[in-house]
Amino acid sequence: MSEVIIIGAGAAGMMAAALLGQSGHKVTVLEQNERLGKKLYITGKGRCNFTNDCDRQVFFTNVVSNPRFLYSAFDSMTPQDVINLFEGWGMATKVERGNRAFPASDKSSDVIDTLRDGMRKSKVRVMLHTKVTEIVVEDGKAAGVRAHEVRPGRDARDLDVWADCVIVATGGLSYRSTGATGDGYAFAKNCGHSVIPCIPSLVPINCKGDICPRLQGLSLRNVMLTIKKGKKVFFSEFGEMLFTHFGVSGPLVLTASAKIGRLISEHGGADLEVSIDLKPAVSKDLLEARLIKLFHSSGKKAARNVISEMFPSKMLPVMLDLCGIDPDGRACDITKSDREKLIRMTKQFPLSFESLRGYNEAVITHGGVSVKEINPRTMESKKVRGLYFIGEVLDLDALTGGFNLQIAWSTAAAAARAISDNFG
């Protein structure tokens, strides 16, 4: 059996440690934070959507970057394998809308505790407050790491830890408050690897103007968000979204950010046109017919009282302002021009794009260690023998719904299996 060092005690690192420990390997986990699974703790607003109980086709449809690379790793641990594993380790689970899997308790701490227990039972050594500073490579093979340990109440010390192989599970740059520093990218570069430029992904959008602040707190369901430049449409999907004091957020917006993030980072977003179809199931012709009937039958009622039937109360004054309609004017006096403006604003409610939010709010990092230099079956480096990369540190990311954690589990399982195959 081998001695294995794992850098990072997030989702991927803990899973790899538990699996390797169960197989009899001597595992040491080095974590710079004061506790395990710091990012896992806040995942899914503290509920931890730990995978998606979907089939292979659905999973790969939701992977944004390099899905083909994951074909072999996915088979090492499928979503159903993940659910069965956690259940077997004693954590009750449940599956909700969209096949999203959660701990039955709705507590992310249960996921962390289950992984911690798996590590403890297999005698994994965990060193907290320990920051790795260098991966030691000898004769083209990973031989260990150099680290700096700063435990509360003790003198700081530098130490060398030796092993047969090293797994980098440092995560990316998302949620900097959890200690994300991008160290894994530096380790990769120092070992001769290429790193695809990183950008925050699954983030809200900043918008200019006062429309979003006026609508702050308003949630919209079953709307279509479209982002385009000229005639070229970069994103157009249905879903739910939320107005905030700075712009827009919610599942639909986060998905959009994943689809257009690279475009914006390379070309900017100054010319992007962002709009919302508030009633995507209703055509313009049908909407006009309804408005004509509504206004003509409203007599002397105030426009605001009639139009209020069409929009959420918080949106009504904004819509009237955008259309230039007097809220106290009679509905029956609304002109054809006013009606056309109302239809246009309903089908193409405008937002003024400014930028994507930063890493502090990013669910995941887009970019990372180039997968072209990693063996897709084993997660081992093609540059340095005995060096493995798993999880978010790789140039792999997916949409929301448990898919990113599934990437962590699958890549961890692939590396653990490969190490077990190599060392028995």
Side-chain angles (χ1 to χ4, degrees):
M1 292 298 176
S2 66
E3 293 192 16
V4 184
I5 291 171
I6 299 177
I7 309 173
M14 285 193 288
M15 177 60 79
L19 294 174
L20 284 165
Q22 281 187 340
S23 297
H25 299 274
K26 185 178 179 181
V27 182
T28 299
V29 177
L30 306 178
E31 169 57 53
Q32 65 180 353
N33 284 318
E34 74 283 0
R35 57 190 170 94
L36 304 173
K38 204 166 182 180
K39 182 179 176 183
L40 264 178
Y41 188 75
I42 61 174
T43 298
K45 297 181 180 178
R47 296 180 64 212
C48 195
N49 174 196
F50 69 92
T51 190
N52 191 286
D53 189 16
C54 63
D55 61 23
R56 183 184 184 89
Q57 181 179 356
V58 171
F59 172 76
F60 284 107
T61 298
N62 283 274
V63 177
V64 176
S65 301
N66 302 305
R68 289 179 178 274
F69 175 83
L70 286 166
Y71 284 178
S72 295
F74 181 82
D75 292 333
S76 295
M77 183 172 282
T78 67
Q80 293 72 37
D81 293 333
V82 173
I83 293 171
N84 291 337
L85 183 64
F86 277 103
E87 291 273 3
W89 282 346
M91 186 185 85
T93 67
K94 63 180 178 179
V95 177
E96 297 185 356
R97 180 172 58 90
N99 294 319
R100 296 172 301 157
F102 294 89
S105 65
D106 282 330
K107 294 180 179 178
S108 58
S109 57
D110 279 7
V111 176
I112 299 168
D113 290 344
T114 301
L115 289 167
R116 181 191 291 114
D117 289 345
M119 293 163 61
R120 178 180 54 78
K121 290 175 182 176
S122 54
K123 299 181 180 179
V124 171
R125 179 190 182 197
V126 177
M127 299 179 65
L128 300 175
H129 303 284
T130 304
K131 183 178 179 64
V132 172
T133 56
E134 180 186 353
I135 294 175
V136 179
V137 178
E138 296 178 349
D139 298 323
K141 183 181 181 302
V145 301
R146 292 193 170 92
H148 185 68
E149 183 185 52
V150 187
R151 291 192 182 185
R154 298 187 183 184
D155 292 336
R157 61 170 181 155
D158 293 322
L159 62 155
D160 294 340
V161 186
W162 306 105
D164 299 300
C165 49
V166 175
I167 299 177
V168 179
T170 50
L173 292 166
S174 58
Y175 288 131
R176 292 252 171 110
S177 60
T178 63
T181 59
D183 285 352
Y185 307 133
F187 297 150
K189 288 180 180 178
N190 290 339
C191 291
H193 279 273
S194 305
V195 176
I196 306 302
C198 296
I199 58 173
S201 189
L202 298 178
V203 286
I205 291 176
N206 289 315
C207 295
K208 293 178 282 189
D210 67 346
I211 289 179
C212 292
R214 290 177 67 184
L215 296 175
Q216 181 180 352
L218 175 63
S219 295
L220 299 177
R221 300 183 64 182
N222 301 318
V223 296
M224 176 178 276
L225 179 66
T226 298
I227 301 176
K228 64 180 183 176
K229 185 175 183 179
K231 293 183 178 181
K232 186 172 179 58
V233 176
F234 295 107
F235 179 85
S236 188
E237 290 185 18
F238 294 93
E240 302 176 15
M241 58 183 293
L242 168 72
F243 288 96
T244 71
H245 66 283
F246 58 76
V248 286
S249 187
L252 185 57
V253 173
L254 299 191
T255 297
S257 76
K259 298 288 184 69
I260 67 170
R262 184 62 66 188
L263 168 76
I264 293 170
S265 70
E266 294 176 354
H267 303 290
D271 298 327
L272 290 181
E273 299 174 39
V274 183
S275 64
I276 309 167
D277 187 341
L278 300 171
K279 298 187 180 297
V282 182
S283 68
K284 288 183 178 180
D285 289 342
L286 183 56
L287 183 58
E288 181 173 29
R290 288 182 180 178
L291 288 174
I292 290 173
K293 182 178 179 180
L294 182 64
F295 293 154
H296 285 180
S297 64
S298 298
K300 296 181 180 180
K301 289 183 180 178
R304 67 153 62 92
N305 295 330
V306 176
I307 298 175
S308 65
E309 299 178 22
M310 296 180 56
F311 307 105
S313 58
K314 201 161 193 174
M315 179 170 275
L316 181 61
V318 175
M319 186 64 74
L320 292 172
D321 284 351
L322 290 174
C323 295
I325 296 175
D326 180 2
D328 297 315
R330 298 188 307 177
C332 61
D333 291 334
I334 289 178
T335 65
K336 180 180 179 181
S337 176
D338 291 336
R339 192 171 66 244
E340 289 174 347
K341 289 179 185 177
L342 191 57
I343 293 170
R344 185 169 64 254
M345 290 298 169
T346 302
K347 300 297 287 183
Q348 293 179 295
F349 187 82
L351 297 176
S352 183
F353 180 89
E354 183 174 24
S355 63
L356 298 180
R357 301 286 278 184
Y359 282 114
N360 286 337
E361 296 171 70
V363 175
I364 199 74
T365 305
H366 180 79
V369 178
S370 173
V371 296
K372 292 180 180 179
E373 299 163 358
I374 304 296
N375 186 318
R377 292 187 301 277
T378 65
M379 300 298 123
E380 186 176 17
S381 163
K382 294 179 181 179
K383 304 276 188 178
V384 178
R385 300 190 314 280
L387 178 62
Y388 299 77
F389 292 88
I390 60 175
E392 190 181 350
V393 71
L394 290 164
D395 182 22
L396 299 168
D397 61 282
L399 302 181
T400 56
F403 302 105
N404 285 294
L405 276 177
Q406 181 59 44
I407 291 175
W409 312 135
S410 291
T411 54
R417 177 176 296 180
I419 292 170
S420 292
D421 288 344
N422 287 340
F423 291 92

